[in-house]
Amino acid sequence: MDYLPSRRLFLIGSGTTLLLSGCSVTTTLAPIETGSSVDTTETALPIVNAVRRKNGRASLFNDPVAANAAKDHAIRMARYGKMSHDLGSDRNFLARMKRMEVPLPAAENIATGQDSTEAAMTAWIRSKSHLDNILGPYTGVGVALAKNTGTGDRPYWAMVLSNSPGRFSFRI
């Protein structure tokens, strides 16, 4: 037959409604300009490297690619008014790092509410999983801050640790 009985249509429609009602929607707050994040890597770097030296690890360098990825994610969190590694349509960390051209392995620390780079660093250092990232097998780091007036200027922080080959690249 070319039609479905009304009971079957009702059940199919009800199942679709239940399926859709389980979905969540993340609201985007007041837009912020792309350039409205602040690269705070130079302030964070001495703190990162002091912790790494204290734990027998090599110092990291200020990686502009990692800083760009950190700025991108800090802006995304500020736009959504939510601290999360997974926001909007860009929910896969590895895909996001690839899109941002961050060499792997890579890691990301995020925070919200801290009023300074030093306070964000302290929060990450006091958290075992975040400290493990800071002490990981990385060579570069980028740290950024973004705010959104729609969230009362709440600060959103992102740190991206990268495996960039080095500070300089030479071409022959």
Side-chain angles (χ1 to χ4, degrees):
M1 296 187 158
D2 290 327
Y3 67 92
L4 293 172
S6 61
R7 182 175 174 180
R8 186 178 282 167
L9 267 177
F10 173 76
L11 291 174
I12 292 170
S14 297
T16 303
T17 302
L18 287 173
L19 179 64
L20 292 177
S21 67
C23 295
S24 64
V25 176
T26 303
T27 304
T28 302
L29 299 172
I32 60 176
E33 295 178 23
T34 303
S36 64
S37 68
V38 177
D39 182 341
T40 64
T41 307
E42 286 301 320
T43 304
L45 197 56
I47 301 167
V48 168
N49 285 335
V51 169
R52 287 181 62 88
R53 277 192 303 276
K54 181 179 173 184
N55 287 276
R57 305 295 197 284
S59 293
L60 302 182
F61 69 92
N62 182 340
D63 179 359
V65 174
N68 191 42
K71 287 172 67 174
D72 177 74
H73 198 63
I75 288 170
R76 290 165 49 76
M77 289 189 297
R79 277 193 183 131
Y80 284 98
K82 181 178 180 182
M83 184 182 78
S84 176
H85 294 283
D86 305 320
L87 291 168
S89 62
D90 206 359
R91 293 181 173 265
N92 181 294
F93 172 76
L94 292 177
R96 184 161 39 88
M97 291 300 105
K98 185 175 180 178
R99 175 179 59 81
M100 298 301 299
E101 300 180 359
V102 175
L104 299 177
E108 179 177 75
N109 289 343
I110 58 175
T112 187
Q114 294 79 8
D115 291 329
S116 67
T117 305
E118 294 83 1
M121 287 301 308
T122 298
W124 287 326
I125 291 166
R126 289 181 178 167
S127 162
K128 180 173 176 3
S129 61
H130 294 99
L131 179 60
D132 287 347
N133 283 344
I134 292 169
L135 297 176
Y138 307 110
T139 58
V141 65
V143 181
L145 158 70
K147 295 182 180 181
N148 186 315
T149 55
T151 61
D153 283 336
R154 185 168 182 80
Y156 291 89
W157 299 90
M159 168 191 277
V160 173
L161 298 129
S162 68
N163 196 28
S164 294
R167 195 182 302 234
F168 306 102
S169 62
F170 298 95
R171 293 188 180 168
I172 297 176

